[in-house]
Amino acid sequence: VTDLAAALFTTPAMAAVFSAEARVRRMLDFEAALARAQARAGVIPAGAAAAIGTACRVERLDLGAIAREAAVVGTPVVPLARMLGDLVGGEARRYVHWGATSQDAIDTGMVLQARDGLELLEEGLLGIAATGAVLAERHRATPMAGRTLLQHALPITFGLKAARWLALATRQVGRLRQLRPRVLVVQLGGAAGTLASLGSDGPSVMALLAEELGLAAPELPWHAERDRIGELAAALGVVAGGMAKIAGDLVLLAQTEVGEVAEAAVEGKGGSSALPQKRNPVDATMALAAARLAIGQVPTVLGAMAQEHERAAGAWQAEWAAVPDLFRFTAGAVEGVRRALEGLEVDADRMRRNLDASGGLILAESLATALAQRVGRPEAQRIVRDVCDRVRRDGADLTAAALADERVAALLTPDAIGRALDPLAYLGAADAFVDRALAAHREILGTVPADR
Amino acid sequence: VTDLAAALFTTPAMAAVFSAEARVRRMLDFEAALARAQARAGVIPAGAAAAIGTACRVERLDLGAIAREAAVVGTPVVPLARMLGDLVGGEARRYVHWGATSQDAIDTGMVLQARDGLELLEEGLLGIAATGAVLAERHRATPMAGRTLLQHALPITFGLKAARWLALATRQVGRLRQLRPRVLVVQLGGAAGTLASLGSDGPSVMALLAEELGLAAPELPWHAERDRIGELAAALGVVAGGMAKIAGDLVLLAQTEVGEVAEAAVEGKGGSSALPQKRNPVDATMALAAARLAIGQVPTVLGAMAQEHERAAGAWQAEWAAVPDLFRFTAGAVEGVRRALEGLEVDADRMRRNLDASGGLILAESLATALAQRVGRPEAQRIVRDVCDRVRRDGADLTAAALADERVAALLTPDAIGRALDPLAYLGAADAFVDRALAAHREILGTVPADR
Amino acid sequence: VTDLAAALFTTPAMAAVFSAEARVRRMLDFEAALARAQARAGVIPAGAAAAIGTACRVERLDLGAIAREAAVVGTPVVPLARMLGDLVGGEARRYVHWGATSQDAIDTGMVLQARDGLELLEEGLLGIAATGAVLAERHRATPMAGRTLLQHALPITFGLKAARWLALATRQVGRLRQLRPRVLVVQLGGAAGTLASLGSDGPSVMALLAEELGLAAPELPWHAERDRIGELAAALGVVAGGMAKIAGDLVLLAQTEVGEVAEAAVEGKGGSSALPQKRNPVDATMALAAARLAIGQVPTVLGAMAQEHERAAGAWQAEWAAVPDLFRFTAGAVEGVRRALEGLEVDADRMRRNLDASGGLILAESLATALAQRVGRPEAQRIVRDVCDRVRRDGADLTAAALADERVAALLTPDAIGRALDPLAYLGAADAFVDRALAAHREILGTVPADR
Amino acid sequence: VTDLAAALFTTPAMAAVFSAEARVRRMLDFEAALARAQARAGVIPAGAAAAIGTACRVERLDLGAIAREAAVVGTPVVPLARMLGDLVGGEARRYVHWGATSQDAIDTGMVLQARDGLELLEEGLLGIAATGAVLAERHRATPMAGRTLLQHALPITFGLKAARWLALATRQVGRLRQLRPRVLVVQLGGAAGTLASLGSDGPSVMALLAEELGLAAPELPWHAERDRIGELAAALGVVAGGMAKIAGDLVLLAQTEVGEVAEAAVEGKGGSSALPQKRNPVDATMALAAARLAIGQVPTVLGAMAQEHERAAGAWQAEWAAVPDLFRFTAGAVEGVRRALEGLEVDADRMRRNLDASGGLILAESLATALAQRVGRPEAQRIVRDVCDRVRRDGADLTAAALADERVAALLTPDAIGRALDPLAYLGAADAFVDRALAAHREILGTVPADR
């Protein structure tokens, strides 16, 4: 059991992708593919490649010993390569890790983990989008209060709010897809980025290695130019930030005084050790925590881009912890939002009651717009501000106060006032925007990343 | 005069793009374009649009008064819209800021500033790439020590190092270009993102507004979904991180004990208030400082993505300072590197002397590679490690020690030993990698962003 | 006019402390005090010190020229020392900046600015504490809903909430005071931290300089050991984080659906460019934005602690912008909270209505506690959970449901149930805690920092 | 085996303090102490407290089940309290977790872990200080180049450099000690911070609980006022930043071209998978990585200080991962530096050779100082700049060039020139500063924190 926190802020699937075992397995994938690529290029015997491939099984390595030795030598690849050599044995042993450097194995391994991680994130985001699309469609006519600076502003629909979440998730998917060709790139440079020990075969081995692993080949090794890792980290930070937006909205909507949504009731979920009546928005809360933790890794990775010469002392190594944590926590944020949205209880009646609770003040702009067509915007705003003051002072509602105001009455018929103060009649393009978000979602579902 | 620091960590051009005046000018551009779009859509009279367009001149507004009033009301748009109305006057006045909300003007204004800022950054990066390409070509046969963890590792060429800088800058240009369609997007949503006061004309006005400003139209307003701003900020952070890598290398290469490069001598540059002999790498130093400052803004922007409901209280407003600072400091980092590279003094002799200073130890891998073809990698490494120990112990050079070692002598002829220990013969794909970086550079010079 | 944002996220007083002019003035204070100290130590003639002191007037220097030249030479002190020399003239000129290095002037100047900045922050925090104390006292019997995870939990009093803000502000004052002796320390080391050009007079000149400026003398120069600056920055980040807590509470309490507080009504404050009925919590919003911006500087300063050798290339220079920004934004956060609290409108009726709105569910724990004394905590919680479910299902209130429950009726009299469900009877130590916070406040008012 | 990275960037001791098991054990310590305190206050029967105390053994709980259930309910305390109740059984069961809330157990548990963590950090820092003191004393007369912006500036001694590291570590110890009374504080507030279910016994139970645990009692509960946690996090960030300074110096001094220090040779340490001759500064490298990772947690904790109302949704929970990681990584940074310094190989000859390598240019200021006493600083600097230019142009050394310069010869005798250009004669207060650092170290060794 790792620390409790690990159980709360990630998913088992992402934890598996970035486990100690997976890290070693992915480095072994590199070693095996490198041997195959070199065999294809005629650099090493085909038999050696086969023997190496056979030995590259994580079950056969002592992970604890690798970790202990890594702490002395400063890299896990020195013990890994030696143990692998021992497993391969015979003539083939000499071709283990041929021409490569530690960083080639570590970086390519991490890129392979990142590819798996990106798939998981995309899947989670598509799950959010799917639920978002259902909510957007179902609630396109459910009016609710739009809130700016947490104050009632104008009516919107819950469908529009869900459509914005949907559009956000859809854009995130698109964003993660488009960076794949730039980021999912093999690393192979040898000790100083020249592939010197491969003589003139370096570039062709690099190309074949990329092919073997289904990754792109870079123009040249990138041991100390970490813009790809920076871009990857930044993209995950953007995903996490987006999750925090949705989760934050859910927590606010679930407030006792607002009560417009609640996370699906699950036995034991959201309870309190002290309060029997509590039903906490647990999934959204965990998403918010995970998103904070994810974003916190981004500057670490960006700050670590200043890597010295041909390999860095410290900045590169910091990636070994920061990048996995970034994936773990981003997955936790995505999963928290996915779960919170799935089976979300939406209280349309409460939305309507909240909308009406301010006595129509939320439609002040609508009234002002109706008046503005007669007297211009500034004068209209002055009139409506006065009427609103009266509503607040006297506790009346806006319809009554508007009907009673001489200036309003002189400009608008009672019917026109009624229309102006009907929330369903003042939703502008809400419906059209829902359609546009749904269309964008359908479009992304119909496309597949270029590299798949 | 703003604080001294402002003079050091940005460029005058970027400072101008993000000046107080430019911010207001860009918001006025929004107001004028909105009026034109609404006139084209038949929402407001053409004459009103013309009158508004004429009034939208930053010289006619009192910027100080806007700032003072903004501090009370919490947004600069309330005073701006009123003052603009006063300037427009007459009937047209009522159509000022029609259907829009503060955030529409502020966000679109910031996007317009960002577009200018991105152009400047791209220009700077292309300048770095151009110098990098010259250095890569000129020094493709200039050997130097490759260094990992700041220790001599293997020979490389200075051309390869420059090619890596070049490739980094080239990728950054590509990265900034590809995000433009996603990020350079108009904002228009009205008070709660429904464009309610425009009735059913909202989407068409939004499309026309985007056309007027040369921006893309989003699927729906994004007042509180800030993934675009997050992506923009993250991309700038990646640019800044890349600059820190290059600048850091320059500072390290300029160390007194290394002395392989020096920034171009300029009267008064890099002096000290105490030390007459000093010649500091000033431009690289300022780039490093600016890059740190730039990266420091990224988590602020990402952390501020959790924006409440339809408009945030605090998180959005934090962008008003963080995004401009991010552009300013990133520009400072790019400019520092550009200047440091321009006219960089490269001391090829010193590079060679440093390369040779360790008595050939830097070619230990080359010797091991030659031996490995006979006895396999592990045995070869053991032999070479022994020989290296002798070099370090006795102060001999590696050639002599290798010739004197019985095991080596049994496996390699003196000639083969000589070849193995010639740095120019152990550069692997360095030259090919230079070509690839140059090709990628030529390619980006031949393409133009889709949206230009 | 600097950018609009500058007007919103700091105070004029703090802006003045960290203006370009103040920076130069504080460096001149250093130069003048250094000369006096050296005269007292017999290192330079008394007449020279007098002449230098007379010349050290910021009005006599061309700040623009200093900034321009600083951008070339990499430090403002080279031009400053030269211009100062020109002003001093004659024999005394040779003693300008005697024995010092740029960093001595820049660091000591920044420490002097920091001292002013800390005073302003302390003043602001004491203002918050004063208002907090009034609110705590006035509302110690004003019941309101306590909320955990934004859900009703138990009754508290608004006085307790204010007492927690008060205690927070009080602790911040204590925290800022206690770090002064560690942080407000003179810098004097000469070019490499040995004060070599002062021979054996270094330590005594350092001590006299510290005395002249009212700062502490460090055990040795700290040009590249920045723990003091790191601690200072961290402390400001903690202040800013505390402000975000209070401001966040205010924004949440001001929500339309909660409506328990409102910022003082000021003509034009908190309005909207579109919505005539809006009254936004502007000061709290600006505090939240400023706090984010302040905290964003902290990792930049901490990350910049890794300063190379005897003076850093880049990391130190980054402080020149980050530390002033940190003070500016922290001041903005403190001021926003101070203003928001001052004249805060507290709606005790609304607090009571919100407290009662859940039909007494908020007192579920109280009922469980009463029952637990009879049947133990687990069984009590089971009973109360059932009763609460009935309340939620049937819309009844908790008192009625409790009276109707057989198990409850068997254990508690109607009277006991009534007492258990009276919020005023279930406030525990709220009152005592208010007293303790007030006492801590009185204590800090009665003490003065050791160094004043 | 957790991920490899975990093995590299922390210590086993700190990993144990923040293990899953330790977290639960510390929460059980809270529950047991709470029961004892309540028995002493007469709130629960003494027998119940004894039974609870007996049951509070981490070995008896199923940690995996706690983690799984915590992921559903959102807090580990709900399952923990239930399991503990089951273990206690009988009458006493009802008094388990009496009057407390989840957060009381979690926060107090974390404070107890933090106390252990602080002890470990202090111990590590004292180890660094001890080695630093030895190095400072031993090398107080070992001259080396002082370097600013990585350029030779003036001679210093290695003893002075070590004294600065010593002073830094000493100050860090002082800093960690002085915050203990402010930070090591018990949490006890009950569900909403009123201790309502304890009636009027709340404050006395809190005081007794604090006594039981050896912690301080706060003025009131601090569930949502996290300045103490912020201060703690910030202090660790400052420690980590200080470690990065020392580790960075070590990496720079160990560069092949500088070669002034090397980490102690350990079989297998610092090797490379490709390069037989490599000896990498592994411990300093790992310290640099760990310091980056530690600092990266600080803004997460500070940003999470904005906690809503009486308990936060997300911000508080983020601490559960960020604070332990901060301790883990800070310990890794401290340990890396401690190990790197222990047995550090110092090459005094190389220091002298590097110092002399620039032909005496490093003593330019000394020459200028000698001249300045005759012709004033500006003229002296002009003369010396000319002489230095000649040295650089002609490759001569500064002594020869100075003797050959007419202006110098007219002002100084050959003897005076010789004295001016002797590095050992231009060390200023280096020795005195070493003494002061040693004295501060002795002082801290002689004091013990007030709370121990």
Side-chain angles (χ1 to χ4, degrees), chain A residues 4 13 36 74 110 129 148 150 198 273 294 311 345 362:
Chain A
L4 290 171
R36 287 196 304 273
M110 192 174 74
T148 57
L150 288 83
L198 295 181
S273 71
R311 186 173 315 159
E345 298 176 13
I362 197 171

Side-chain angles (χ1 to χ4, degrees), chain D residues 31 68 80 129 133 272 274 304 316 328 365 389 399 409 417 420 437:
Chain D
E31 300 290 354
R68 280 189 300 277
L80 182 143
S272 150
W316 172 50
R328 287 184 197 110
E365 191 205 52
D389 285 348
T399 309
I417 293 173

Side-chain angles (χ1 to χ4, degrees), chain C residues 83-442:
Chain C
M83 290 181 196
L84 182 57
D86 291 346
L87 287 173
V88 171
E91 273 299 291
R93 172 191 212 132
R94 69 174 64 170
Y95 298 110
V96 166
H97 195 61
W98 186 259
T101 190
S102 300
Q103 187 165 6
D104 295 332
I106 292 174
D107 279 356
T108 303
M110 192 173 73
V111 168
L112 292 170
Q113 291 177 286
R115 182 170 61 185
D116 296 342
L118 287 172
E119 304 270 359
L120 289 176
L121 292 178
E122 188 177 320
E123 202 178 291
L125 289 165
L126 286 171
I128 291 169
T131 312
V134 169
L135 291 171
E137 188 64 78
R138 182 184 300 157
H139 292 283
R140 61 160 79 221
T142 305
M144 73 184 297
R147 297 165 176 106
T148 57
L149 286 81
L150 289 83
Q151 302 288 310
H152 278 199
L154 277 187
I156 62 169
T157 62
F158 183 61
L160 176 61
K161 195 182 267 271
R164 297 202 331 258
W165 299 338
L166 162 62
L168 172 61
T170 302
R171 289 193 299 267
Q172 303 278 28
V173 170
R175 198 169 276 125
L176 292 187
R177 284 183 181 176
Q178 59 82 31
L179 62 72
R180 293 167 60 100
R182 287 196 302 280
V183 161
L184 298 181
V185 167
V186 87
Q187 178 71 283
L188 188 69
T194 58
L195 287 173
S197 63
L198 296 180
S200 60
D201 292 321
S204 62
V205 169
M206 183 202 273
L208 291 166
L209 173 65
E211 199 183 300
E212 288 284 339
L213 292 169
L215 299 173
E219 64 281 53
L220 41 58
W222 45 282
H223 289 153
E225 287 77 43
R226 312 303 285 182
D227 51 306
R228 292 176 172 97
I229 302 301
E231 182 178 6
L232 173 67
L236 267 63
V238 174
V239 170
M243 295 303 102
K245 190 278 177 285
I246 303 176
D249 276 5
L250 292 174
V251 166
L252 290 172
L253 294 173
Q255 289 175 100
T256 305
E257 286 85 358
V258 178
E260 300 182 354
V261 308
E263 293 189 5
V266 169
E267 174 62 28
K269 181 182 170 190
S272 150
S273 70
L275 302 174
Q277 90 282 11
K278 275 303 262 323
R279 196 162 131 212
N280 288 320
V282 172
D283 289 326
T285 294
M286 293 305 149
L288 285 168
R292 284 179 181 276
L293 292 164
I295 290 171
Q297 308 298 322
V298 176
T300 302
V301 177
L302 295 182
M305 285 180 65
Q307 303 206 351
E308 300 96 351
H309 292 316
E310 280 65 54
R311 184 172 317 158
W316 172 50
Q317 292 80 2
E319 290 178 5
W320 304 352
V323 172
D325 273 349
L326 184 42
F327 271 99
R328 288 184 196 108
F329 293 134
T330 304
V334 170
E335 175 66 5
V337 170
R338 200 194 60 71
R339 281 209 300 231
L341 287 180
E342 200 176 62
L344 188 74
E345 298 176 13
V346 179
D347 189 338
D349 290 344
R350 184 74 182 264
M351 287 176 177
R352 182 67 205 226
R353 284 205 305 280
N354 288 337
L355 181 58
D356 294 340
S358 60
L361 280 181
I362 197 171
L363 284 155
E365 191 206 51
S366 178
L367 184 61
T369 301
L371 291 167
Q373 278 151 12
R374 312 293 296 272
V375 293
R377 196 179 149 81
E379 174 63 11
Q381 291 227 332
R382 252 190 306 276
I383 297 173
V384 173
R385 228 182 295 268
D386 290 346
V387 179
C388 288
D389 285 349
R390 225 163 312 134
V391 169
R392 269 194 290 254
R393 205 173 49 236
D394 307 341
D397 85 358
L398 186 59
T399 309
L403 289 167
D405 185 277
E406 283 182 17
R407 289 165 304 174
V408 177
L411 294 160
L412 298 175
T413 64
D415 232 46
I417 292 173
R419 269 198 311 278
L421 297 179
D422 173 10
L424 288 172
Y426 200 65
L427 289 168
D431 217 46
F433 288 151
V434 168
D435 286 334
R436 289 160 73 113
L438 290 168
H441 181 226
R442 278 192 307 273

Side-chain angles (χ1 to χ4, degrees), chain A residues 34-51:
Chain A
L34 176 64
R36 287 196 304 273
Q38 290 176 332
R40 286 171 64 191
V43 172
I44 70 169

Side-chain angles (χ1 to χ4, degrees), chain A residues 131-142 158-159 343-344 346 434 438:
Chain A
T131 313
V134 170
L135 292 171
E137 188 65 78
R138 183 184 301 158
H139 291 285
R140 60 160 79 221
T142 305
F158 183 62
L344 187 75
V346 179
V434 169
L438 290 169

Side-chain angles (χ1 to χ4, degrees), chain B residues 350-374:
Chain B
R350 185 74 183 265
M351 288 177 177
R352 181 68 206 226
R353 285 206 305 279
N354 288 338
L355 181 60
D356 294 340
S358 60
L361 281 181
I362 197 170
L363 283 156
E365 191 205 54
S366 177
L367 184 62
T369 302
L371 291 167
Q373 279 152 10
R374 311 294 296 273

